[in-house]
Amino acid sequence: MIYLDSAATSFYRPPQVAEAVAEAIRSIGNCSRGVHREALAGARIVFETRQLIAQLFHAPGPEQVAFTANATQSLNIAVKGLIAPGDRVVTTVLEHNSVLRPLYEMEKMGAELIVVGCEREKGDSRENNNIERTAQTAGRLDLEALKEAITPGTRAVVMTHASNLTGNCQNLAMVGAWCRQAGALFIVDASQTAGVFPIDMERDRIDVLCFTGHKGLMGPQGTGGLCVREGLVIRPLLSGGSGIRTFEKTHPSQMPTALEAGTLNGHGIAGLRAALYYIKEQGMDQLRKREQFLMKRFYEQVREIPDIRIYGDFSQKNRAPIVSLNLGDEDSAAVSDYLSQEYGIAVRPGGHCAPLMHLALGTKEQGAVRFSFSHFNTEEHIDTAVRALREY
């Protein structure tokens, strides 16, 4: 099997991740629910993982890192805990449904939602249609429109660091500066970039960074979290057991307990800790360079296939290791099934939970076939995938 679906979830993981999960299942108790050896072992693992996350993202400190089950839960906590009826919120067509659906809920409750689209080049020559087609398939965010939308009085800007469909990355520092100037909160979905690209909450002026553990961080599924700027208070999405202040009627307000009602996934967090150490030891820059090398090798070959359409801006020096494409008018699910059945190649077809991006690209009905790469992939994997597309 050749796994080229790492944007959905990591399949190739460092072996120490599974080993850490198995060891945690055998040895740890419930974090913050006792002072016996097993409970304290769990607490140490969780705290150490908070430290590693805070270091990775330059968060204010480990106490500002709250763990969740995934980025979807993190984004729901951030959106529903910071936005209220009457607030003005800006987002983009690049977003995953994990951003869009909570925002639509808040819009239904009375928030004003502004969605910024992709740029579209215009010309007056006979080649105008080709120019517009190029702009459309590149899927570049209209940065001028985004800047204009972030006006004083805007409550928050909620956006992804990189599109899970095109792989296009956004300049967080630039957008963060616009947010700071307008007095708007900056909430970032780092699902596709955590563990792959350097993110600095202080430099990029990020107020809330939402991440998942099972993609670029190569941790187990069921892990994720959010890093919160110091001093920012988020209304909890859940309340309940916390291990502290048992006799109070309200959930504790201090971080990270405020956002962590109930038992944490200590076993998954142990695996995430092992993955974070692996990234630290290997060097994130080296891992990213390998993934981008494989992506470029794939892109440069498939772009020559007749009647192929490739989506994304490949003029970007740094972009998420993703190539989405279509073969003529072939249904993306049919192409994906062929790759799986005939070559054992795992890719992702369909809508990718990114409806507005597909509308912008004109692929609502066809979907797209997404190839996404891991540094564990080989050149042989890439060349086999290219050959399979040529032979379709």
Side-chain angles (χ1 to χ4, degrees):
M1 190 270 288
I2 298 174
Y3 189 83
L4 298 174
D5 195 21
S6 292
T9 193
S10 291
F11 179 80
Y12 305 118
R13 287 184 172 88
Q16 50 264 51
V17 172
E19 293 166 5
V21 173
E23 177 58 28
I25 288 173
R26 290 192 292 263
S27 64
I28 72 169
N30 200 333
C31 172
S32 300
R33 303 299 197 276
V35 293
H36 52 79
R37 181 181 62 185
E38 290 76 15
L40 291 176
R44 291 188 187 100
I45 286 173
V46 169
F47 181 73
E48 189 175 331
T49 311
R50 292 193 208 278
Q51 289 180 311
L52 290 167
I53 290 290
Q55 292 168 11
L56 181 65
F57 299 131
H58 298 269
E63 70 282 353
Q64 294 303 116
V65 178
F67 288 115
T68 64
N70 43 55
T72 298
Q73 186 177 349
S74 300
L75 287 159
N76 271 266
I77 290 171
V79 168
K80 296 175 181 178
L82 291 170
I83 296 168
D87 286 341
R88 185 177 189 276
V89 187
V90 176
T91 192
T92 79
V93 295
L94 279 60
E95 309 309 319
H96 190 279
N97 273 332
S98 295
V99 170
L100 294 174
R101 285 176 173 164
L103 287 176
Y104 290 149
E105 289 183 41
M106 301 313 298
E107 183 182 36
K108 192 174 182 179
M109 293 173 62
E112 178 188 4
L113 181 61
I114 309 298
V115 181
V116 176
C118 291
E119 66 178 36
R120 295 184 67 85
E121 300 178 28
K122 295 181 180 180
D124 56 7
S125 71
R126 61 182 180 179
E127 296 180 350
N128 182 45
N129 289 337
N130 290 334
I131 293 172
E132 290 194 351
R133 180 62 174 270
T134 301
Q136 182 186 46
T137 57
R140 288 187 291 266
L141 183 65
D142 189 336
L143 294 176
E144 183 177 341
L146 177 62
K147 184 178 182 181
E148 291 176 356
I150 306 174
T151 58
T154 298
R155 171 59 174 168
V157 174
V158 189
M159 67 177 292
T160 186
H161 188 189
S163 166
N164 75 317
L165 177 56
T166 66
N168 293 353
C169 279
Q170 307 309 311
N171 186 329
L172 294 182
M174 180 177 67
V175 179
W178 295 343
C179 291
R180 188 62 55 86
Q181 186 176 11
L185 296 173
F186 190 25
I187 302 171
V188 174
D189 175 9
S191 295
Q192 293 299 328
T193 55
V196 182
F197 286 86
I199 299 173
D200 187 323
M201 288 187 66
E202 183 176 357
R203 178 200 64 201
D204 300 335
R205 297 178 174 88
I206 298 170
D207 295 287
V208 184
L209 181 75
C210 301
F211 65 92
T212 191
H214 71 99
K215 297 187 182 186
L217 289 174
M218 295 179 288
Q221 295 177 3
T223 61
L226 63 167
C227 303
V228 182
R229 187 246 303 158
E230 198 168 14
L232 182 63
V233 178
I234 300 178
R235 295 186 301 274
L237 185 66
L238 301 173
S239 59
S242 61
I244 61 172
R245 301 193 177 185
T246 295
F247 295 97
E248 294 185 2
K249 292 184 177 180
T250 57
H251 194 75
S253 59
Q254 69 266 35
M255 284 287 291
T257 309
L259 305 180
E260 290 182 344
T263 295
L264 292 175
N265 178 7
H267 306 137
I269 291 171
L272 180 59
R273 181 185 67 160
L276 288 163
Y277 273 122
Y278 173 83
I279 292 170
K280 194 172 183 178
E281 290 163 2
Q282 296 294 317
M284 184 170 58
D285 289 346
Q286 290 301 114
L287 299 180
R288 181 178 67 257
K289 287 176 182 177
R290 172 64 180 172
E291 291 172 358
Q292 291 182 330
F293 165 78
L294 294 170
M295 173 192 66
K296 186 175 181 181
R297 183 186 182 100
F298 179 78
Y299 169 73
E300 293 295 343
Q301 294 184 72
V302 297
R303 65 186 297 195
E304 304 300 330
I305 297 175
D307 204 24
I308 196 166
R309 288 195 301 279
I310 301 175
Y311 307 99
D313 181 5
F314 287 85
S315 68
Q316 283 191 335
K317 181 179 179 182
N318 283 312
R319 48 177 286 107
I322 290 170
V323 179
S324 292
L325 54 82
N326 276 315
L327 292 174
D329 296 324
E330 291 293 321
D331 182 76
S332 61
V335 175
S336 177
D337 185 62
Y338 160 81
L339 293 171
S340 177
Q341 296 297 325
E342 299 298 325
Y343 284 87
I345 298 172
V347 295
R348 170 81 182 273
H352 311 90
C353 301
L356 299 186
M357 195 69 246
H358 274 285
L359 288 172
L361 296 173
T363 52
K364 178 183 178 182
E365 301 301 327
Q366 188 179 16
V369 185
R370 185 184 68 189
F371 295 76
S372 49
F373 307 96
S374 162
H375 67 279
F376 286 110
N377 287 124
T378 66
E379 286 84 345
E380 184 179 359
H381 291 165
I382 302 304
D383 297 343
T384 301
V386 172
R387 185 172 70 253
L389 288 173
R390 285 178 174 156
E391 294 177 358
Y392 181 81

